[in-house]
Amino acid sequence: MWTLSGFIDEISEDFNEQCKVASGLGLSHVEVRSAWGTNILDLDNDQLGNLRETLAEYQLKVSSIGSPIGKISIDDEFPPHLERMRRAVDVAHALEAPYIRIFSFFIPAGTDPDSCRDEVLSRMSALAEVAAGQDVILVHENEKEIYGDIPRRCLDIVTTVSAPQLQLAWDSANFVQVGVRPFTEGYDMLRPHVSYIQIKDALLADGTVVVAGAGDGEVVETVRALRADGFDGFFSLEPHLGEVSSKRVHSGPELFTQSWKAFTDILTSEGIAYA
């Protein structure tokens, strides 16, 4: 039984509406990235308490903290960010989230990412150390323009840091947007380290994000392989179909629902049970 989740802040800034729509679609879990227009790591403890109460009202659990950890330049100061990692762990504990999404630092334009390898891996090791023994798993997302944007460097991160608390999130659309055919070029290499799946798709021609199965992200091939491998984990809807700003992506209830329907249609056609 595969478990669906989703970045519900794409539905609305209002957390109650986020949860109402998610619950209406039958989701049992959600991925929290922001609420009431505020990043999840910047909510105070009272706000987190309100968030927990709303989740309980809609009988929702948290699959992952959609944190911005590692989403700074490799040239930015690191010690304050390490403190933010500690806050992410505290928030994960408060919300009983088993995963925290992280990134591997933006590389300045015109710079060879491989020239930043040592600094990136030093920082990733430090982030992993914060999570050691904390009953939480960090999942690195293959975001474009960071060090770990292509399969080879994603593999480098997890194998070099070599910590059980650092694993990979798989994002097909992000791979497509850096010119990678995800399943063909990355699946066999990365599958042993993948523990969390983000659902969105994109077109190789121009990077446009589309619903699952409508792009070049080889979503169906990946789903079939994951079933054959016995994968049993979360699939988090990240529509990215609406207005994009520097702070958030607003897809709204309708486009979020379209994203959910496209992916669940694939699961149904493949005879895969989900909850």
Side-chain angles (χ1 to χ4, degrees), residues 60-123:
L60 293 169
K61 297 180 180 180
V62 177
S63 62
S64 178
I65 303 299
S67 89
I69 296 299
K71 212 168 189 179
I72 60 172
S73 172
I74 193 63
D75 293 333
D76 289 339
E77 289 189 18
F78 183 56
H81 209 59
L82 198 59
E83 285 302 312
R84 201 155 167 77
M85 179 72 250
R86 295 187 177 97
R87 173 61 177 169
V89 171
D90 290 342
V91 171
H93 287 163
L95 300 181
E96 300 181 355
Y99 295 98
I100 301 173
R101 178 196 64 167
I102 66 171
F103 303 88
S104 56
F105 306 96
F106 288 115
I107 306 302
T111 301
D112 179 2
D114 290 318
S115 70
C116 302
R117 179 180 185 272
D118 289 348
E119 179 63 21
V120 168
L121 293 179
S122 174
R123 291 184 176 198

Side-chain angles (χ1 to χ4, degrees), residues 254-266:
E254 182 177 343
L255 292 177
F256 190 92
T257 299
Q258 285 183 21
S259 175
W260 170 85
K261 185 177 187 307
F263 185 60
T264 55
D265 281 351
I266 289 173

Side-chain angles (χ1 to χ4, degrees), residues 77-195:
E77 289 189 18
F78 183 56
H81 209 59
L82 198 59
E83 285 302 312
R84 201 155 167 77
M85 179 72 250
R86 295 187 177 97
R87 173 61 177 169
V89 171
D90 290 342
V91 171
H93 287 163
L95 300 181
E96 300 181 355
Y99 295 98
I100 301 173
R101 178 196 64 167
I102 66 171
F103 303 88
S104 56
F105 306 96
F106 288 115
I107 306 302
T111 301
D112 179 2
D114 290 318
S115 70
C116 302
R117 179 180 185 272
D118 289 348
E119 179 63 21
V120 168
L121 293 179
S122 174
R123 291 184 176 198
M124 296 302 290
S125 294
L127 295 176
E129 183 59 30
V130 172
Q134 294 296 321
D135 196 29
V136 67
I137 293 174
L138 309 182
V139 284
H140 169 270
E141 178 182 337
N142 52 292
E143 177 67 84
K144 53 187 177 295
E145 299 176 0
I146 64 173
Y147 178 80
D149 59 349
I150 61 174
R152 172 178 63 82
R153 288 195 288 266
C154 291
L155 183 65
D156 184 27
I157 291 168
V158 287
T159 56
T160 301
V161 174
S162 189
Q165 68 272 19
L166 177 61
Q167 298 174 21
L168 297 177
W170 174 275
D171 190 308
S172 294
N174 288 351
F175 276 138
V176 169
Q177 289 176 332
V178 295
V180 171
R181 292 190 177 276
F183 180 76
T184 302
E185 301 176 43
Y187 185 86
D188 288 341
M189 179 192 308
L190 299 181
R191 174 63 186 94
H193 308 283
V194 171
S195 61

